[in-house]
């Protein structure tokens, strides 16, 4: 995919602010700090289009990034951040549920997990949620650069089995450091536009 333009359209706090129009959207989902923003940046070759942070729990808005004036990446707040109140967690859950279940432009959710570790309970819940609502899902196992090549297959198998992935769903090894998996991820996304 040749990227000719990439810009933030809006950091939305409420649905009324989501962009109008019918352009396809791909939303990122995943644990806080797993690499969602880094995934977007690597995919579009921009160092800091999506804000990355070593401090988890930062993004509390839905950030819409317009790519090539033809589709959006939507960076969403991560889950599994311990230091949030129950109230905040519920507000987060509601915002995400509404977006994921009612947004007609949403073509697929890109679920990012960490290749180094088995998916967490929250990862499994998120995957099950997506399957329950029949939302097309691409699973990206990121930080592959931190796992020795000889262990990739084993770790990939653990991801697939722990999430109990359906056979049709793609699992792609990725690294925002090396760019590994980028072409594969673009192919998967383009099939869903
Ligand atoms: N080594 C390595 N570090 C990564 C990778 N992806 C993200 N990171 C790092 O993980 C941290 C969190 O990344 P970020 O994209 O902000 O996560 P987000 O909270 O899910 O958006 C940052 O310090 C990134 O540099 C990757 O593929 N490899
Ligand atoms: Mg982020």
């Amino acid at each position: 995919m040749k990227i000719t333009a990439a810009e933030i359209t809006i950091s939305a706090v409420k649905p009324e602010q989501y962009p109008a129009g019918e352009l396809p959207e791909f939303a990122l989902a995943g644990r806080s700090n797993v690499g969602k923003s880094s995934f977007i940046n690597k995919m579009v070759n921009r160092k800091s289009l999506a804000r990355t942070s070593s401090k988890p729990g930062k993004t509390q808005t839905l950030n819409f990034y317009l790519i090539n004036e033809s589709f959006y990446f939507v960076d969403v707040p991560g889950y599994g951040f311990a230091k949030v109140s129950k109230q905040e967690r519920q507000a987060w859950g509601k915002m995400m549920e509404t977006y994921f279940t009612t947004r007609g432009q949403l073509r697929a959710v890109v679920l990012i997990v960490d290749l180094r570790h088995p998916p967490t309970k929250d990862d499994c819940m998120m995957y099950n949620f997506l399957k329950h609502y029949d939302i097309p899902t691409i699973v990206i196992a990121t930080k592959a650069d931190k796992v020795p090549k000889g262990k990739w297959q084993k770790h990939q198998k653990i991801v697939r089995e722990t999430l109990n992935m359906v056979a049709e769903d793609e699992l792609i090894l990725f690294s925002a450091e090396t760019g590994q998996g980028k072409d594969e991820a673009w192919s998967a996304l383009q099939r869903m536009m």
Side-chain angles (χ1 to χ4, degrees):
M1 171 74 89
K2 188 171 185 304
I3 305 301
T4 52
E7 62 189 17
I8 182 150
T9 299
I10 189 161
S11 281
V13 287
K14 37 184 184 206
E16 300 86 82
Q17 299 174 318
Y18 299 168
E22 293 301 318
L23 293 181
E25 289 173 12
F26 297 99
L28 283 295
R31 255 189 327 106
S32 189
N33 223 32
V34 69
K36 297 178 294 299
S37 302
S38 303
F39 173 83
I40 295 177
N41 289 335
K42 194 67 195 178
M43 289 295 279
V44 302
N45 313 315
R46 299 286 195 280
K47 265 225 170 87
S48 48
L49 176 71
R51 242 177 299 144
T52 61
S53 166
S54 48
K55 290 198 198 88
K58 274 271 153 111
T59 330
Q60 288 307 325
T61 53
L62 293 194
N63 297 335
F64 290 79
Y65 298 99
L66 180 59
I67 313 301
N68 288 358
E69 285 166 35
S70 61
F71 69 94
Y72 290 97
F73 275 132
V74 187
D75 202 5
V76 313
Y79 49 77
F81 182 52
K83 281 188 189 154
V84 298
S85 67
K86 197 175 164 192
Q87 222 167 14
E88 284 173 304
R89 209 183 305 270
Q90 280 170 349
W92 175 89
K94 217 168 182 173
M95 175 166 89
M96 299 318 304
E97 185 169 2
T98 306
Y99 172 75
F100 283 140
T101 59
T102 63
R103 187 75 171 160
Q105 299 92 319
L106 182 66
R107 291 293 188 277
V109 169
V110 179
L111 176 59
I112 314 259
V113 299
D114 191 330
L115 182 68
R116 295 174 297 177
H117 315 292
T120 64
K121 234 196 256 167
D122 286 332
D123 292 330
C124 295
M125 259 167 54
M126 178 55 72
Y127 183 77
N128 289 338
F129 170 87
L130 296 170
K131 291 303 96 182
H132 177 79
Y133 285 102
D134 254 326
I135 299 168
T137 307
I138 301 164
V139 179
I140 300 285
T142 196
K143 304 194 181 177
D145 58 283
K146 299 253 192 182
V147 175
K149 205 170 174 177
K151 293 191 174 166
W152 283 352
Q153 243 192 336
K154 182 180 156 214
H155 284 230
Q156 226 173 333
K157 189 162 175 267
I158 292 172
V159 170
R160 208 170 245 292
E161 287 177 355
T162 308
L163 290 179
N164 202 5
M165 282 177 68
V166 300
E168 310 87 84
D169 280 350
E170 263 193 87
L171 171 63
I172 299 169
L173 235 67
F174 192 85
S175 166
E177 282 290 312
T178 66
Q180 182 193 345
K182 195 173 147 181
D183 292 345
E184 225 185 312
W186 273 126
S187 308
L189 291 172
Q190 276 176 304
R191 279 196 293 277
M192 293 170 160
M193 292 212 189

